[in-house]
Amino acid sequence: MSTQTELQDTINDMVDDHRGILAADESTPTIQKRFDAIGVESTEENRRFYRALLLDTPELGKYISGVIMFEETLGQQDDTGRPLPEVAWAQKIVPGVKVDKGKGPLSGAPGDLITYGLDGLAERLGDYKAQGARFVKWREVYPITPTNPTLLGLRANAEMLARYAATCQEMGVVPIVEPEVLMDGDHDIDRCAEVNEQVLHSVFHALRLHHVSLEHMILKPSMTLPGKDCRRAPADEVARATLTVLKRTVPAAVPSINFLSGGQGPEEATENLNAINRLRGNAPWQLSTSYGRALQQPAQAAWAGQQENRAAAQQALLKRARLNSLARNGEYDPSMEA
Ligand code: 13P
């Protein structure tokens, strides 16, 4: 199969008008934080049990088209010995994997960050493909301060995303390009819009320079929101600001935009997605989810590390996935939470 066909097949299997992506790719320190919050020890067996539970949720494939796994999960099996990528694909959920190696300070740009992991990426992609991954994710992180991101930060982070995406496409693996603008801080929604616009503009400029095929990637951006320490904005204000930024920066060739939740509560993230889709007008892309916390938090709380809570945890995940699927078409109402 040609690389082009491989990429297009994966896009066809992941992008439609009602499903979203489940981000379950928490690194070992991050899943430890999530497990600490529910009083569960982060052992390899507990991580396996929990992630197998998510992927095995009956009917999940009706609402979820792809799952981003952590490298460890890709090699794990369910209780019957089936590899977890196979468990996902059994209900037409495309398996993918996070390939970046985390972030650290960007030298020469105080306050900005940069992500590691390009060295040896092509070889690793070959291994991940052999384990069943058909798409991958890489996240660059942009804190907002009065002076960040700097011009150097914008350029360096965009360059990383573009080099990553070009390498993936060469290997026939669809890249999710994730420039995450953090919610931390007391900035207002206008400042967030200004930064998001600069970030996305620089990312698409770099993608162009690196000959990345826009038709064969998925964008995973932050919504345009006020900082966590600023007043909360109503959903229609978030929707208007988010759509304005996206329409100014994201070419129509990109098939799908799948938002991260970034610290929004589960219901807030659904409400904002719903408002975005109500206001979308003739926006050319699918506007969907790639939520981690906003999809998983209720499931983690319901599970609490107890085997007998498995079905309750699956119900909690399915509920969020279903409500977000309704929000894809602006058909969600908070009364449905009851
Ligand atoms: P959140 O939705 O919890 O922000 O996670 C999405 C993600 O994959 C962050 O990289």
Side-chain angles (χ1 to χ4, degrees):
M1 205 192 317
S2 77
T3 335
Q4 277 306 94
T5 313
E6 221 172 353
L7 292 170
Q8 191 58 54
D9 284 353
T10 301
I11 289 289
N12 294 347
D13 286 337
M14 290 181 73
V15 178
D16 59 34
D17 63 5
H18 57 285
R19 296 189 297 166
I21 295 170
L22 166 65
D25 59 324
E26 300 82 3
S27 62
T28 309
T30 304
I31 196 73
Q32 162 121 38
K33 265 198 271 176
R34 308 281 181 260
F35 279 13
D36 283 350
I38 52 169
V40 175
E41 198 189 342
S42 179
T43 60
E44 188 179 340
E45 172 51 21
N46 282 343
R47 294 191 294 270
R48 184 202 67 82
F49 181 88
Y50 170 67
R51 283 160 167 162
L53 160 174
L54 295 179
L55 296 175
D56 196 31
T57 297
E59 312 256 275
L60 190 65
K62 275 165 73 176
Y63 310 116
I64 296 292
S65 63
V67 57
I68 315 172
M69 298 180 184
F70 187 57
E71 193 177 5
E72 175 189 74
T73 316
L74 208 54
Q76 286 176 326
Q77 301 169 349
D78 71 4
D79 293 344
T80 69
R82 250 185 334 165
L84 292 184
E86 261 180 60
V87 174
W89 186 238
Q91 38 179 346
K92 294 284 179 278
I93 299 172
V94 180
V97 63
K98 160 200 172 82
V99 297
D100 66 71
K101 296 277 185 193
K103 59 185 173 7
L106 174 61
S107 302
D112 285 338
L113 301 168
I114 195 83
T115 295
Y116 312 121
L118 279 183
D119 284 354
L121 178 60
E123 291 73 28
R124 285 198 286 132
L125 289 173
D127 297 343
Y128 298 145
K129 265 184 99 167
Q131 290 178 287
R134 296 171 59 197
F135 75 94
V136 293
K137 186 198 92 168
W138 181 290
R139 167 176 178 253
E140 292 292 329
V141 183
Y142 303 78
I144 300 185
T145 75
T147 50
N148 299 96
T150 64
L151 184 59
L152 172 59
L154 290 168
R155 288 194 178 157
N157 281 276
E159 189 70 12
M160 295 299 276
L161 283 169
R163 286 182 58 193
Y164 141 80
T167 305
C168 295
Q169 289 187 342
E170 218 165 65
M171 297 287 293
V173 180
V174 167
I176 295 189
V177 171
E178 180 181 9
E180 175 169 8
V181 175
L182 294 180
M183 273 174 80
D184 300 331
D186 63 358
H187 53 272
D188 62 14
I189 194 168
D190 293 339
R191 173 69 179 139
C192 182
E194 179 182 54
V195 170
N196 257 308
E197 191 173 329
Q198 290 170 335
V199 164
L200 290 172
H201 179 75
S202 63
V203 167
F204 280 97
H205 180 70
L207 292 172
R208 164 95 194 132
L209 287 175
H210 286 264
H211 308 290
V212 171
S213 161
L214 301 182
E215 287 80 359
H216 300 117
M217 61 163 274
I218 290 172
L219 178 68
K220 173 166 177 167
S222 303
M223 289 182 190
T224 297
L225 298 157
K228 269 184 208 146
D229 304 325
C230 188
R231 71 166 179 94
R232 252 191 77 186
D236 55 342
E237 191 180 339
V238 172
R240 253 193 311 277
T242 301
L243 287 165
T244 300
V245 168
L246 294 176
K247 284 178 181 172
R248 286 180 180 173
T249 53
V250 184
V254 173
S256 190
I257 297 178
N258 293 59
F259 297 101
L260 59 97
S261 59
Q264 300 177 64
E267 295 176 21
E268 180 186 6
T270 306
E271 207 176 328
N272 285 336
L273 180 71
N274 190 61
I276 289 170
N277 277 296
R278 276 200 188 156
L279 274 179
R280 59 172 290 136
N282 60 358
W285 343 266
Q286 295 296 327
L287 290 160
S288 184
T289 56
S290 176
Y291 293 163
R293 281 163 286 179
L295 273 170
Q296 291 186 63
Q297 246 164 22
Q300 286 166 0
W303 172 52
Q306 305 302 314
Q307 216 146 349
E308 63 271 23
N309 294 339
R310 191 173 192 272
Q314 291 181 330
Q315 281 311 308
L317 172 67
L318 193 68
K319 175 181 171 188
R320 291 263 50 93
R322 183 175 58 78
L323 293 177
N324 281 306
S325 171
L326 289 170
R328 292 284 322 269
N329 291 295
E331 288 164 3
Y332 165 79
D333 188 273
S335 65
M336 296 169 176
E337 296 289 347

